[in-house]
Amino acid sequence: MELILDRLTKQYKNKIAVDKVSLTLGQGVYGLLGANGAGKTTLMRMMCGLLDPTGGEVKFNGIDVSRAEYRDALGYMPQHFGYYPEFTATSFLHYMASLKGLTKQRSKEKTAELLETVSLSEVAKKKIKTFSGGMKQRLGIAQSLLNNPKILILDEPTAGLDPKERIKFRNLISRLGADRIVLLSTHIVSDIENIAKFVLVMKDGQIIQNGGVDEILTDIRGKVFECVVDDAQAAELSQKFPVVNIRAAGPSEEHAGKTLLRLIASDNNPPCENAETVPENLDDLYMYYFGERNE
Amino acid sequence: MELVGFEYKKILGRKSIIIVFVLSVAIMVAGQTLWMLPFMPSYREGETRWESFLKQREYARALSGRVIDAELLMETSAAYTNRLPYFWPIERMMNWIYGRPEIAAYQAENFYNIRRHQVAQQLEFHYEAGHMSRVGVDAMLRLDERIPEPWVFEYAEGYIAFLQTGILTILAALITAVGVAPIFASEHSTGVSQLILTTKHGKGRLVRAKAFAAVSFTAMATLFLIAVHFLVNMAIFGFDGASAPFQLFIPFSPYPINMWQASLIFTVTATIRIIFFGTALLLLSSKMKSAFGVMIFAVVWIFLAMMLFVPVPITWLFNLIRLFINILPAGSTVFLPVPYEIFGLAVLPFVFEIIVAIVASAVLLTLAGRGFKRHQVG
C-alpha cells in the first residue's frame, strides 16, 4: 500500500500554495502540521481529486487520483463539513453510502455501526439542521469511514469536539491507522503527538520536516528552556524568543510572585540566568517553526 | 435509481418548490374560473355569468355536426343582427374572416375562397417581413390545401381555452427554475460537493442521476401543469370537439389538424422546449457557486420569452430568436405559419423546434456534467 505524491504543485496567480511536494506514504497515521495558509488544505484537496494540480501527480498503488478506483479507496472529511439540513443522520449516511457504491444491505449495516461509533445512534432519525457543531463533525467523520477506505484524509477533524469525544476519536484513528494510510491535519498538536506515527511539517507550501515524532524533535533538542523571571524580564524574553507557555506562579508555589516561561531559543545557549532545558514536545516544535515573537 | 431518488428528495424537500407549485396551480385554476363567480358582471340582465355561459354552451352544442356552409353562415349573420346569442363560436370565426359577423349572401357563398385568399395574404406578410422565403410560402400553401373542406362545426371551447393559454408555460418554466437551479449549485454553496466529488460514483453515476432528475422533474412538472390546465378547461366546457378542425380556433392557420392533434403537438412542444430551458439552467448550475445567479438568469430569460415576437426583418435572426429565446410557447405560437428552411427544405416549426431542443438539451446535459466533474474546490 503506497500513496505517492510526486512534485505536487499548485500555483494561483501570484502565489504558490503547494510547492513541488514529493512524499511516499505507507500504512500508518501521518500528522500534518502547519500554520494557517501553509498549504495543508490545498495539498489535501489535491490528494482527494478536488483540485487539479498545476504540476505533479498523486497515485495510490499506481492508480491516478482522477480515477474512480482511487476514489473508491478514499475517505475524506473536509475542514468545513457540508450537509443537507433536511436530511436525517441516517438518510445522509445512506446517501453517502450509495455514492460510495455500497449495497443497500451493507449501507444499513455500516450506517448503524458508524452512528454507534460516533455516538449518534440516539439522534439517527433527527434532521441534521438540529445538530450541534460537534455532532455535525462526528457525522462528517462517520461518512468518511463508510467505504472502509484505504486512504483516510481528515482536515481538522477534531475541531468542535469536546475532550471526551476527542479522546474517543483519537483512539479510533489509532486503530484505523493499523491497516491504512491516515493523513490528519490539525492545529491541536497533542492529537498528533498521541496518535501520529509520522509528522509532516508544512510551511509556505513545502514539507520542511518529515519523519517520526522523536526524529523531528531532534531539531529542537536542547533549545527548549524553562525560566523563572519577573514580569519585566518575561516581557523582554517574549520579544526575543517564541514562548510556548507563560504562567504566573501561585502564592503557594516555590516561585511565588514570579513568572514561569517556557520558550525556545535559537541555539543551545540559555536565554536567561536560571534557565533549565526541558524535554521537547510537538508544541515546542510548532512554535519553533511557526511561533512569533511579541515584537 | 437510488441516487435519482435522493435527488428527488433534495428537490421536493425544499419549501420553495412546494410554494411555487401550489401558487402555479392556484393561478392557473383562478385564471380559468374567476369569471364564473357570482359577483362578476353578467352578459345579460337577470342572468349570472355562469347562467349565460350554460345557455350559450347549450346553443353551441346544438350546432355541432352541422357543415359550415353558406346556409349556416347566413343564419349566424341573421342571429347576430337580431342579437340572438345562438351562434357565437361561428360569429367569432366570421369576425376573423370577414371582419364582422354581418355578411352578404355572396360572402357566405365564397367563405372558403375568401379564407384561402387571406391565408395567402398572411403568408405574404411574413415573406415581406423577411421571416421566410418563397420556399416557405409555397410549403405552407401546399399544407393549407390539405385541410378538408367543408368544415364541420363542433363545440370545441374546452380545447380552444386550453390552447389559448399564455401563462401555462411561464409557470412551468418558473417551477423548472426553482427545481433545477440548485441541483448542482447548492452542492457548491453548501460545501457538500467536497464530499460527493471524492466518492466512487460522485463524478459518474451521480452526474447522470442529477441530469435524469432535472429532465424528468421538468417533464413531470410541465405535464402536470398541462394536465391540470386541460382538466380544468374540460371540466368547465366539456370534452366535446376533439375532432373539430383546428381552424375553428385560428381560421387562417394552414395546418390540417384537429383540436386533439393540436393539443398533443402543443403538449409535446411545450414539454420538450421547457426541458431545453431546464438543461440550460442545469449547465449554469454546474458552473455557478450559488443557485441565486441561476435564478436571475432564468427570470430574465422568461421575461424575454414572454415578449413573443421581435419583429426582426432578417430570417436567420428571426429564427434564432424563436428557437432559443421565445421558448415558452402558447397554443397559438406553436402553430405560427412560418417554417424553418434548411437547405431549401421547409420544416414545420414545431417539428424543427422539437428536434433542436432535443439536440441542444443533450449537448447542454453533457456540458453540465462535465462542468460539475471539473469543479475546483478552493
Side-chain angles (χ1 to χ4, degrees):
Chain A
M1 194 187 298
E2 207 173 44
L3 179 64
I4 297 174
L5 280 63
D6 184 19
R7 286 165 293 165
L8 199 60
T9 304
K10 184 69 191 179
Q11 181 167 7
Y12 295 104
K13 276 178 192 167
N14 299 318
K15 195 195 171 199
I16 299 177
V18 174
D19 190 7
K20 293 191 187 106
V21 169
S22 292
L23 285 171
T24 300
L25 309 181
Q27 257 170 239
V29 180
Y30 293 79
L32 182 59
L33 270 181
N36 287 333
K40 303 188 298 294
T41 297
T42 304
L43 177 68
M44 287 180 149
R45 282 175 176 166
M46 285 194 287
M47 291 170 75
C48 293
L50 288 170
L51 204 53
D52 292 338
T54 315
E57 58 182 18
V58 181
K59 284 188 174 178
F60 173 64
N61 290 347
I63 304 165
D64 189 76
V65 67
S66 60
R67 304 270 303 274
E69 293 93 322
Y70 181 100
R71 295 196 298 277
D72 194 23
L74 177 69
Y76 175 55
M77 153 116 198
Q79 192 174 356
H80 302 291
F81 167 61
Y83 58 91
Y84 305 112
E86 299 298 327
F87 276 40
T88 63
T90 302
S91 58
F92 181 72
L93 289 184
H94 283 164
Y95 176 58
M96 292 307 296
S98 175
L99 284 173
K100 289 174 182 236
L102 273 69
T103 61
K104 268 193 173 176
Q105 185 55 33
R106 186 81 188 117
S107 165
K108 276 184 185 170
E109 290 164 6
K110 205 69 188 161
T111 296
E113 176 194 322
L114 287 168
L115 285 173
E116 187 64 42
T117 306
V118 297
S119 309
L120 289 175
S121 295
E122 284 181 11
V123 290
K125 301 286 177 204
K126 289 202 170 169
K127 287 187 177 178
I128 307 175
K129 67 179 178 187
T130 64
F131 284 13
S132 68
M135 288 159 88
K136 286 175 195 159
Q137 200 74 358
R138 281 183 272 153
L139 185 65
I141 292 161
Q143 68 75 30
S144 70
L145 299 172
L146 277 165
N147 55 332
N148 195 21
K150 290 286 165 209
I151 312 162
L152 185 57
I153 297 179
L154 306 163
D155 196 356
E156 307 271 357
T158 51
L161 298 185
D162 62 34
K164 186 178 138 199
E165 287 300 338
R166 251 181 54 215
I167 290 165
K168 200 172 167 188
F169 173 72
R170 283 197 318 222
N171 295 338
L172 173 69
I173 296 300
S174 287
R175 283 201 307 276
L176 292 169
D179 59 353
R180 72 196 76 209
I181 300 163
V182 180
L183 180 63
L184 169 81
S185 121
T186 178
H187 282 111
I188 304 166
V189 178
S190 63
D191 283 346
I192 289 184
E193 200 153 38
N194 282 293
I195 54 175
K197 183 173 154 194
F198 304 99
V199 178
L200 311 169
V201 181
M202 196 165 186
K203 189 174 185 181
D204 299 331
Q206 294 181 323
I207 301 291
I208 55 168
Q209 276 286 1
N210 173 13
V213 176
D214 288 340
E215 195 183 336
I216 66 165
L217 285 177
T218 53
D219 260 19
I220 54 167
R221 194 146 295 157
K223 294 176 183 170
V224 184
F225 293 92
E226 269 187 5
C227 308
V228 180
V229 291
D230 56 31
D231 286 351
Q233 247 187 315
E236 189 185 330
L237 288 170
S238 296
Q239 284 178 0
K240 286 183 182 171
F241 305 101
V243 174
V244 182
N245 195 27
I246 183 162
R247 182 170 73 85
S252 57
E253 286 185 75
E254 186 186 348
H255 305 291
K258 296 276 186 180
T259 300
L260 279 75
L261 277 184
R262 182 183 177 103
L263 51 78
I264 303 153
S266 50
D267 50 34
N268 290 20
N269 295 325
C272 59
E273 268 181 22
N274 59 353
E276 283 180 15
T277 56
V278 288
E280 61 286 342
N281 60 30
L282 275 183
D283 275 325
D284 303 321
L285 184 89
Y286 189 92
M287 288 307 290
Y288 179 68
Y289 287 117
F290 306 110
E292 291 173 2
R293 293 161 187 85
N294 296 329
E295 286 161 8
Chain B
M1 283 314 283
E2 195 184 359
L3 288 176
V4 175
F6 277 112
E7 289 309 316
Y8 267 98
K9 188 175 172 161
K10 288 186 226 169
I11 295 171
L12 300 175
R14 285 195 292 271
K15 280 187 190 129
S16 55
I17 201 78
I18 307 295
I19 292 168
V20 76
F21 249 114
V22 171
L23 279 179
S24 297
V25 171
I27 289 170
M28 257 178 17
V29 173
Q32 296 300 317
T33 55
L34 277 182
W35 60 269
M36 62 173 74
L37 293 175
F39 57 79
M40 297 300 275
S42 63
Y43 297 128
R44 275 166 205 287
E45 269 184 45
E47 280 178 1
T48 64
R49 258 201 186 189
W50 178 246
E51 285 164 348
S52 300
F53 161 72
L54 288 178
K55 273 188 191 167
Q56 288 186 336
R57 185 171 71 175
E58 199 185 327
Y59 299 149
R61 275 179 171 160
L63 293 172
S64 288
R66 283 190 65 176
V67 169
I68 299 179
D69 54 10
E71 190 188 341
L72 180 59
L73 294 172
M74 287 311 291
E75 277 180 47
T76 307
S77 181
Y80 179 79
T81 308
N82 297 318
R83 297 181 177 274
L84 298 172
Y86 300 153
F87 299 91
W88 62 275
I90 299 171
E91 279 174 18
R92 185 182 54 208
M93 187 184 67
M94 289 166 77
N95 263 325
W96 274 73
I97 293 179
Y98 303 113
R100 61 197 175 95
E102 280 176 306
I103 54 169
Y106 77 93
Q107 288 174 300
E109 293 292 342
N110 284 297
F111 172 77
Y112 293 103
N113 287 335
I114 292 169
R115 178 200 161 265
R116 266 196 297 277
H117 176 70
Q118 288 185 337
V119 169
Q121 268 190 336
Q122 176 197 235
L123 295 175
E124 205 59 33
F125 162 78
H126 282 297
Y127 168 74
E128 280 170 15
H131 299 161
M132 62 177 162
S133 73
R134 280 281 158 219
V135 173
V137 174
D138 292 345
M140 287 291 110
L141 285 172
R142 280 197 300 277
L143 198 66
D144 189 62
E145 283 168 12
R146 287 166 49 194
I147 296 172
E149 288 174 6
W151 303 345
V152 176
F153 177 77
E154 277 186 63
Y155 174 73
E157 291 309 300
Y159 284 94
I160 292 172
F162 171 72
L163 289 167
Q164 260 174 341
T165 177
I167 199 164
L168 169 67
T169 47
I170 293 165
L171 294 173
L174 272 177
I175 294 178
T176 298
V178 175
V180 170
I183 284 184
F184 285 122
S186 71
E187 307 290 15
H188 303 323
S189 59
T190 57
V192 186
S193 57
Q194 290 194 73
L195 295 179
I196 58 185
L197 285 170
T198 60
T199 60
K200 183 183 178 185
H201 299 313
K203 293 184 179 181
R205 278 188 203 174
L206 176 69
V207 172
R208 289 193 289 277
K210 281 180 178 288
F212 181 81
V215 171
S216 57
F217 170 79
T218 304
M220 284 194 285
T222 307
L223 288 172
F224 171 76
L225 282 192
I226 290 175
V228 169
H229 181 62
F230 183 79
L231 291 174
V232 167
N233 282 303
M234 293 302 139
I236 296 169
F237 298 100
F239 283 86
D240 333 35
S243 56
F246 180 63
Q247 284 65 30
L248 291 183
F249 172 36
I250 306 175
F252 300 152
S253 176
Y255 293 99
I257 52 175
N258 62 34
M259 292 293 184
W260 170 248
Q261 289 165 330
S263 301
L264 206 61
I265 291 169
F266 166 71
T267 300
V268 173
T269 310
T271 306
I272 291 179
R273 298 199 80 190
I274 292 173
I275 287 174
F276 160 66
F277 173 74
T279 55
L281 298 188
L282 194 67
L283 172 62
L284 281 178
S285 176
S286 75
K287 300 278 185 192
M288 289 188 173
K289 287 185 176 173
S290 146
F292 185 70
V294 187
M295 282 303 298
I296 298 282
F297 179 85
V299 169
V300 170
W301 194 353
I302 290 170
F303 180 75
L304 289 175
M306 283 160 62
M307 297 160 67
L308 291 176
F309 290 107
V310 182
V312 183
I314 305 163
T315 310
W316 65 266
L317 190 57
F318 175 74
N319 286 341
L320 272 186
I321 290 171
R322 62 184 176 138
L323 267 179
F324 297 113
I325 296 180
N326 299 134
I327 49 140
L328 304 176
S332 52
T333 56
V334 167
F335 301 102
L336 188 73
V338 182
Y340 291 89
E341 292 166 35
I342 313 293
F343 305 119
L345 194 72
V347 186
L348 294 183
F350 48 84
V351 172
F352 192 68
E353 283 162 7
I354 287 172
I355 293 169
V356 168
I358 290 172
V359 173
S361 298
V363 172
L364 290 168
L365 284 176
T366 310
L367 293 175
R370 196 177 293 177
F372 183 66
K373 281 188 242 180
R374 292 184 179 174
H375 175 75
Q376 298 289 292
V377 174

